[in-house]
Amino acid sequence: MKLTTIHHVAIIVSDYEKARDFYVNKLGFAVVRENFRKERNDWKLDLRVGDGADAIELEIFAELNPPKRVNRPEACGLRHLAFRVDDVEATVAELEQMGIGCEPIRLDSYTKKKMTFFFDPDGLPLELHE
């Protein structure tokens, strides 16, 4: 078996319009596909982050009244999504100009690289990492 890269990551959101605005208009992900699934009465939004062979897709599923994300104690499953950036400080400044708050920048104790977290509209932790 040879697994080469991550093709996509899927998340469930509680408010389609808020999530679409956040990921497309604020974070700048490109829309690949956007479909209303009549049989499920929901939206599925496929986004692309990155370019070329390094691009991955983020699948967004909008569900009516999904259970809230467990914060503490942390549950098994997806903990957070991390995005590589060239400059954490510059990216934090851009996010804060859009009204998206970030935790204080710190050094990753293993990689010794700058990193921080911010959150999507449903509280999913998103990491910036140099």
Side-chain angles (χ1 to χ4, degrees), residues 113-126:
K113 302 281 185 174
K114 291 178 190 172
M115 49 88 65
T116 191
F117 284 91
F118 64 108
F119 301 88
D120 86 349
D122 285 301
L124 177 65
L126 303 173

Side-chain angles (χ1 to χ4, degrees), residues 54-98:
D54 291 334
I56 66 165
E57 287 188 19
L58 179 62
E59 290 183 340
I60 293 181
F61 294 89
E63 298 286 336
L64 290 175
N65 302 311
K68 295 287 183 206
R69 176 181 170 79
V70 175
N71 188 11
R72 292 281 186 249
E74 288 187 314
C76 288
L78 179 68
R79 187 175 190 190
H80 64 268
L81 297 178
F83 300 102
R84 182 178 297 126
V85 297
D86 292 329
D87 186 334
V88 168
E89 285 141 341
T91 306
V92 165
E94 287 181 62
L95 289 169
E96 289 180 347
Q97 283 183 328
M98 291 183 276

